[in-house]
Each structure stands twice: as C-alpha cells, then as structure tokens.
Amino acid sequence: LDLEDGKVAIEGMQNTDVRANVVDGQLTIRNCCGNIKAGVVNGVLDLLYGRCEKPQHSADVQVLNGNVRLSIVRGASFRVRGETLNGKITNELGETVQLGQPARKIDISVGAGVRSDITMRVTSGDITVVAADSE
C-alpha cells in the first residue's frame, strides 16, 4: 500500500507480509500478525497488537517527521526496540514504567516464551509504548 496524502487503516491481516507507506497523513496497523514493514514521512503511525495466533512475527516501522504509538495487549510476548533522534520515548508498560527523563532509545522484552520483534525508528518525533486496553 502506498498513499500520498490521507489516513489509512490496515486491520486483521494474519500470517502474511504487510508493506505500507504514507507520505503525509496517518497510518494505523491493528492486529496484523505477520511481517510488517511500514513508513510515514510526515504524520502518525499507530501500531496496535492483540494476541496473535502465529507465535512469532515482526514489525519494522519508520517515521521521518511525526510520532509512533505502540499498543500491546497485556500478556502478549514481544521484544520492543526503538530509537528517536530528535524526540523522546515514553514507556508506559505496567511494571516497566520508565522513571525520570524520557530516553531516546529503548530495548525491552515483554511477556514469556517466543517473542515477536518490533523495531521502531523516528527521525524527528516521539515514540510512546502503552499497554492496550483490550484485545
């Protein structure tokens, strides 16, 4: 999927590769349990995970100017890596809540067992990691 300007949501893709790019706008990827490669030049990228049937998958997302928000349902198993060059990372995942000044890099493991990998890179903007309210 390639979108020049606007909002797009991709939802429920299972066991398949997802590739999406947005130039100006918002990209929402919800409950997609496959290998994701996504980018936003100017705007917002929301990545939301519930529980997945496939035990292992990956996401590699990049935002040039804007923010990434990652929501993970409690009990899911992930390794989350993120970096922002000109912004901050806020981690609000339960017992791993970050104290003090927000960081520019994060590398955490959440849950037990086989972990899926999520990598987020932002040039100018923030990354927020939160626990999802529900599946």
Side-chain angles (χ1 to χ4, degrees), residues 101-131:
Q101 186 176 11
R104 292 186 190 262
K105 288 187 180 184
I106 189 172
D107 188 345
I108 60 171
S109 293
V110 177
V114 176
R115 290 188 171 91
S116 297
D117 290 318
I118 300 173
T119 303
M120 304 170 289
R121 288 182 292 284
V122 176
T123 301
S124 183
D126 300 333
I127 296 172
T128 304
V129 181
V130 300

mmCIF file of all heavy atoms in Angstrom, residues 101-131:
data_model
loop_
_atom_site.group_PDB
_atom_site.id
_atom_site.type_symbol
_atom_site.label_atom_id
_atom_site.label_comp_id
_atom_site.label_asym_id
_atom_site.label_seq_id
_atom_site.Cartn_x
_atom_site.Cartn_y
_atom_site.Cartn_z
ATOM 1 N N GLN A 101 13.769 11.237 33.305
ATOM 2 C CA GLN A 101 13.744 11.845 31.976
ATOM 3 C C GLN A 101 13.577 10.783 30.893
ATOM 4 O O GLN A 101 14.243 9.757 30.902
ATOM 5 C CB GLN A 101 15.050 12.605 31.756
ATOM 6 C CG GLN A 101 15.082 13.381 30.479
ATOM 7 C CD GLN A 101 16.354 14.196 30.362
ATOM 8 O OE1 GLN A 101 17.286 14.021 31.125
ATOM 9 N NE2 GLN A 101 16.377 15.085 29.399
ATOM 10 N N PRO A 102 12.662 11.003 29.930
ATOM 11 C CA PRO A 102 12.462 10.041 28.844
ATOM 12 C C PRO A 102 13.740 9.835 28.021
ATOM 13 O O PRO A 102 14.541 10.754 27.852
ATOM 14 C CB PRO A 102 11.376 10.686 27.988
ATOM 15 C CG PRO A 102 10.669 11.612 28.914
ATOM 16 C CD PRO A 102 11.722 12.113 29.857
ATOM 17 N N ALA A 103 13.897 8.637 27.520
ATOM 18 C CA ALA A 103 15.088 8.252 26.773
ATOM 19 C C ALA A 103 14.889 8.456 25.278
ATOM 20 O O ALA A 103 13.802 8.749 24.806
ATOM 21 C CB ALA A 103 15.409 6.796 27.059
ATOM 22 N N ARG A 104 15.976 8.267 24.535
ATOM 23 C CA ARG A 104 15.921 8.306 23.070
ATOM 24 C C ARG A 104 16.049 6.911 22.465
ATOM 25 O O ARG A 104 15.903 6.738 21.269
ATOM 26 C CB ARG A 104 17.021 9.208 22.528
ATOM 27 C CG ARG A 104 16.793 10.672 22.874
ATOM 28 C CD ARG A 104 17.830 11.538 22.177
ATOM 29 N NE ARG A 104 17.768 12.891 22.667
ATOM 30 C CZ ARG A 104 17.125 13.863 22.031
ATOM 31 N NH1 ARG A 104 16.502 13.624 20.907
ATOM 32 N NH2 ARG A 104 17.122 15.073 22.535
ATOM 33 N N LYS A 105 16.322 5.899 23.311
ATOM 34 C CA LYS A 105 16.413 4.508 22.859
ATOM 35 C C LYS A 105 15.702 3.620 23.869
ATOM 36 O O LYS A 105 15.672 3.912 25.054
ATOM 37 C CB LYS A 105 17.869 4.054 22.755
ATOM 38 C CG LYS A 105 18.624 4.639 21.610
ATOM 39 C CD LYS A 105 19.997 4.005 21.504
ATOM 40 C CE LYS A 105 20.745 4.603 20.337
ATOM 41 N NZ LYS A 105 22.049 3.957 20.125
ATOM 42 N N ILE A 106 15.151 2.522 23.363
ATOM 43 C CA ILE A 106 14.510 1.546 24.223
ATOM 44 C C ILE A 106 14.781 0.157 23.664
ATOM 45 O O ILE A 106 14.846 -0.034 22.447
ATOM 46 C CB ILE A 106 12.983 1.815 24.330
ATOM 47 C CG1 ILE A 106 12.336 0.933 25.390
ATOM 48 C CG2 ILE A 106 12.310 1.635 22.991
ATOM 49 C CD1 ILE A 106 10.888 1.298 25.678
ATOM 50 N N ASP A 107 14.977 -0.807 24.536
ATOM 51 C CA ASP A 107 15.139 -2.210 24.162
ATOM 52 C C ASP A 107 14.620 -3.028 25.337
ATOM 53 O O ASP A 107 15.314 -3.193 26.335
ATOM 54 C CB ASP A 107 16.596 -2.545 23.853
ATOM 55 C CG ASP A 107 16.769 -3.944 23.265
ATOM 56 O OD1 ASP A 107 15.824 -4.765 23.353
ATOM 57 O OD2 ASP A 107 17.850 -4.214 22.723
ATOM 58 N N ILE A 108 13.373 -3.479 25.234
ATOM 59 C CA ILE A 108 12.760 -4.227 26.329
ATOM 60 C C ILE A 108 12.115 -5.505 25.805
ATOM 61 O O ILE A 108 11.736 -5.580 24.638
ATOM 62 C CB ILE A 108 11.701 -3.398 27.080
ATOM 63 C CG1 ILE A 108 10.582 -2.958 26.138
ATOM 64 C CG2 ILE A 108 12.321 -2.208 27.786
ATOM 65 C CD1 ILE A 108 9.397 -2.312 26.838
ATOM 66 N N SER A 109 11.988 -6.478 26.679
ATOM 67 C CA SER A 109 11.255 -7.699 26.379
ATOM 68 C C SER A 109 10.034 -7.744 27.280
ATOM 69 O O SER A 109 10.118 -7.467 28.471
ATOM 70 C CB SER A 109 12.137 -8.922 26.613
ATOM 71 O OG SER A 109 13.189 -8.933 25.676
ATOM 72 N N VAL A 110 8.908 -8.107 26.696
ATOM 73 C CA VAL A 110 7.641 -8.149 27.403
ATOM 74 C C VAL A 110 7.055 -9.543 27.234
ATOM 75 O O VAL A 110 7.021 -10.069 26.129
ATOM 76 C CB VAL A 110 6.660 -7.097 26.814
ATOM 77 C CG1 VAL A 110 5.314 -7.182 27.492
ATOM 78 C CG2 VAL A 110 7.242 -5.704 26.912
ATOM 79 N N GLY A 111 6.590 -10.156 28.321
ATOM 80 C CA GLY A 111 5.970 -11.473 28.254
ATOM 81 C C GLY A 111 6.985 -12.598 28.268
ATOM 82 O O GLY A 111 8.189 -12.375 28.304
ATOM 83 N N ALA A 112 6.473 -13.811 28.275
ATOM 84 C CA ALA A 112 7.320 -15.013 28.339
ATOM 85 C C ALA A 112 7.173 -15.825 27.055
ATOM 86 O O ALA A 112 6.236 -15.639 26.296
ATOM 87 C CB ALA A 112 6.914 -15.856 29.537
ATOM 88 N N GLY A 113 8.112 -16.727 26.845
ATOM 89 C CA GLY A 113 8.037 -17.606 25.684
ATOM 90 C C GLY A 113 8.602 -16.961 24.432
ATOM 91 O O GLY A 113 9.397 -16.036 24.491
ATOM 92 N N VAL A 114 8.153 -17.467 23.280
ATOM 93 C CA VAL A 114 8.611 -16.955 21.995
ATOM 94 C C VAL A 114 8.182 -15.497 21.857
ATOM 95 O O VAL A 114 7.035 -15.152 22.096
ATOM 96 C CB VAL A 114 8.018 -17.792 20.835
ATOM 97 C CG1 VAL A 114 8.417 -17.210 19.496
ATOM 98 C CG2 VAL A 114 8.477 -19.229 20.944
ATOM 99 N N ARG A 115 9.109 -14.658 21.490
ATOM 100 C CA ARG A 115 8.812 -13.223 21.373
ATOM 101 C C ARG A 115 8.835 -12.771 19.915
ATOM 102 O O ARG A 115 9.682 -13.194 19.152
ATOM 103 C CB ARG A 115 9.828 -12.411 22.167
ATOM 104 C CG ARG A 115 9.664 -12.574 23.650
ATOM 105 C CD ARG A 115 10.555 -11.614 24.410
ATOM 106 N NE ARG A 115 10.234 -11.638 25.812
ATOM 107 C CZ ARG A 115 10.811 -12.439 26.692
ATOM 108 N NH1 ARG A 115 11.725 -13.277 26.319
ATOM 109 N NH2 ARG A 115 10.452 -12.397 27.959
ATOM 110 N N SER A 116 7.917 -11.914 19.591
ATOM 111 C CA SER A 116 7.914 -11.262 18.293
ATOM 112 C C SER A 116 8.735 -9.989 18.401
ATOM 113 O O SER A 116 8.836 -9.404 19.473
ATOM 114 C CB SER A 116 6.485 -10.943 17.871
ATOM 115 O OG SER A 116 5.755 -12.144 17.717
ATOM 116 N N ASP A 117 9.333 -9.578 17.302
ATOM 117 C CA ASP A 117 10.204 -8.406 17.293
ATOM 118 C C ASP A 117 9.506 -7.197 16.697
ATOM 119 O O ASP A 117 8.929 -7.279 15.615
ATOM 120 C CB ASP A 117 11.468 -8.683 16.474
ATOM 121 C CG ASP A 117 12.387 -9.678 17.147
ATOM 122 O OD1 ASP A 117 12.575 -9.582 18.378
ATOM 123 O OD2 ASP A 117 12.927 -10.551 16.449
ATOM 124 N N ILE A 118 9.612 -6.076 17.412
ATOM 125 C CA ILE A 118 9.102 -4.802 16.910
ATOM 126 C C ILE A 118 10.248 -3.804 16.949
ATOM 127 O O ILE A 118 10.868 -3.605 17.995
ATOM 128 C CB ILE A 118 7.944 -4.273 17.771
ATOM 129 C CG1 ILE A 118 6.790 -5.267 17.764
ATOM 130 C CG2 ILE A 118 7.491 -2.905 17.272
ATOM 131 C CD1 ILE A 118 5.684 -4.913 18.720
ATOM 132 N N THR A 119 10.550 -3.207 15.809
ATOM 133 C CA THR A 119 11.598 -2.199 15.712
ATOM 134 C C THR A 119 10.974 -0.911 15.191
ATOM 135 O O THR A 119 10.273 -0.927 14.173
ATOM 136 C CB THR A 119 12.721 -2.663 14.761
ATOM 137 O OG1 THR A 119 13.236 -3.907 15.234
ATOM 138 C CG2 THR A 119 13.831 -1.639 14.691
ATOM 139 N N MET A 120 11.222 0.189 15.916
ATOM 140 C CA MET A 120 10.666 1.498 15.533
ATOM 141 C C MET A 120 11.797 2.511 15.464
ATOM 142 O O MET A 120 12.601 2.601 16.379
ATOM 143 C CB MET A 120 9.648 1.958 16.580
ATOM 144 C CG MET A 120 8.520 0.978 16.821
ATOM 145 S SD MET A 120 7.509 1.418 18.256
ATOM 146 C CE MET A 120 8.625 1.062 19.599
ATOM 147 N N ARG A 121 11.825 3.281 14.366
ATOM 148 C CA ARG A 121 12.817 4.339 14.212
ATOM 149 C C ARG A 121 12.103 5.628 13.826
ATOM 150 O O ARG A 121 11.307 5.634 12.891
ATOM 151 C CB ARG A 121 13.835 3.952 13.155
ATOM 152 C CG ARG A 121 14.782 2.852 13.612
ATOM 153 C CD ARG A 121 15.812 2.501 12.571
ATOM 154 N NE ARG A 121 15.274 1.866 11.383
ATOM 155 C CZ ARG A 121 14.880 0.597 11.300
ATOM 156 N NH1 ARG A 121 14.949 -0.168 12.341
ATOM 157 N NH2 ARG A 121 14.442 0.103 10.172
ATOM 158 N N VAL A 122 12.412 6.706 14.567
ATOM 159 C CA VAL A 122 11.825 8.013 14.298
ATOM 160 C C VAL A 122 12.965 9.012 14.186
ATOM 161 O O VAL A 122 13.852 9.045 15.035
ATOM 162 C CB VAL A 122 10.851 8.430 15.424
ATOM 163 C CG1 VAL A 122 10.324 9.831 15.178
ATOM 164 C CG2 VAL A 122 9.708 7.436 15.543
ATOM 165 N N THR A 123 12.943 9.825 13.144
ATOM 166 C CA THR A 123 13.964 10.848 12.985
ATOM 167 C C THR A 123 13.626 12.070 13.825
ATOM 168 O O THR A 123 14.420 12.515 14.642
ATOM 169 C CB THR A 123 14.126 11.242 11.502
ATOM 170 O OG1 THR A 123 14.477 10.061 10.768
ATOM 171 C CG2 THR A 123 15.221 12.283 11.335
ATOM 172 N N SER A 124 12.440 12.624 13.646
ATOM 173 C CA SER A 124 12.027 13.806 14.398
ATOM 174 C C SER A 124 10.618 13.581 14.923
ATOM 175 O O SER A 124 9.649 13.690 14.178
ATOM 176 C CB SER A 124 12.073 15.040 13.503
ATOM 177 O OG SER A 124 11.737 16.189 14.242
ATOM 178 N N GLY A 125 10.515 13.202 16.193
ATOM 179 C CA GLY A 125 9.223 12.921 16.801
ATOM 180 C C GLY A 125 9.381 11.964 17.961
ATOM 181 O O GLY A 125 10.490 11.576 18.330
ATOM 182 N N ASP A 126 8.256 11.577 18.533
ATOM 183 C CA ASP A 126 8.245 10.771 19.757
ATOM 184 C C ASP A 126 7.749 9.350 19.500
ATOM 185 O O ASP A 126 7.011 9.098 18.556
ATOM 186 C CB ASP A 126 7.338 11.414 20.800
ATOM 187 C CG ASP A 126 7.786 12.821 21.182
ATOM 188 O OD1 ASP A 126 9.001 13.109 21.067
ATOM 189 O OD2 ASP A 126 6.931 13.626 21.587
ATOM 190 N N ILE A 127 8.142 8.459 20.413
ATOM 191 C CA ILE A 127 7.647 7.084 20.437
ATOM 192 C C ILE A 127 6.978 6.881 21.791
ATOM 193 O O ILE A 127 7.573 7.204 22.832
ATOM 194 C CB ILE A 127 8.788 6.061 20.270
ATOM 195 C CG1 ILE A 127 9.443 6.207 18.888
ATOM 196 C CG2 ILE A 127 8.275 4.641 20.479
ATOM 197 C CD1 ILE A 127 10.692 5.363 18.701
ATOM 198 N N THR A 128 5.760 6.342 21.787
ATOM 199 C CA THR A 128 5.056 6.029 23.022
ATOM 200 C C THR A 128 4.681 4.549 22.994
ATOM 201 O O THR A 128 4.122 4.067 22.006
ATOM 202 C CB THR A 128 3.773 6.875 23.167
ATOM 203 O OG1 THR A 128 4.126 8.255 23.093
ATOM 204 C CG2 THR A 128 3.076 6.596 24.476
ATOM 205 N N VAL A 129 5.011 3.844 24.070
ATOM 206 C CA VAL A 129 4.694 2.417 24.198
ATOM 207 C C VAL A 129 3.716 2.280 25.364
ATOM 208 O O VAL A 129 4.021 2.712 26.481
ATOM 209 C CB VAL A 129 5.954 1.579 24.468
ATOM 210 C CG1 VAL A 129 5.608 0.102 24.576
ATOM 211 C CG2 VAL A 129 7.004 1.806 23.373
ATOM 212 N N VAL A 130 2.538 1.698 25.098
ATOM 213 C CA VAL A 130 1.500 1.575 26.127
ATOM 214 C C VAL A 130 0.907 0.178 26.122
ATOM 215 O O VAL A 130 0.989 -0.547 25.122
ATOM 216 C CB VAL A 130 0.372 2.611 25.923
ATOM 217 C CG1 VAL A 130 0.891 4.032 25.991
ATOM 218 C CG2 VAL A 130 -0.367 2.389 24.637
ATOM 219 N N ALA A 131 0.269 -0.183 27.236
ATOM 220 C CA ALA A 131 -0.496 -1.421 27.311
ATOM 221 C C ALA A 131 -1.862 -1.157 26.693
ATOM 222 O O ALA A 131 -2.493 -0.143 27.003
ATOM 223 C CB ALA A 131 -0.641 -1.870 28.761
#
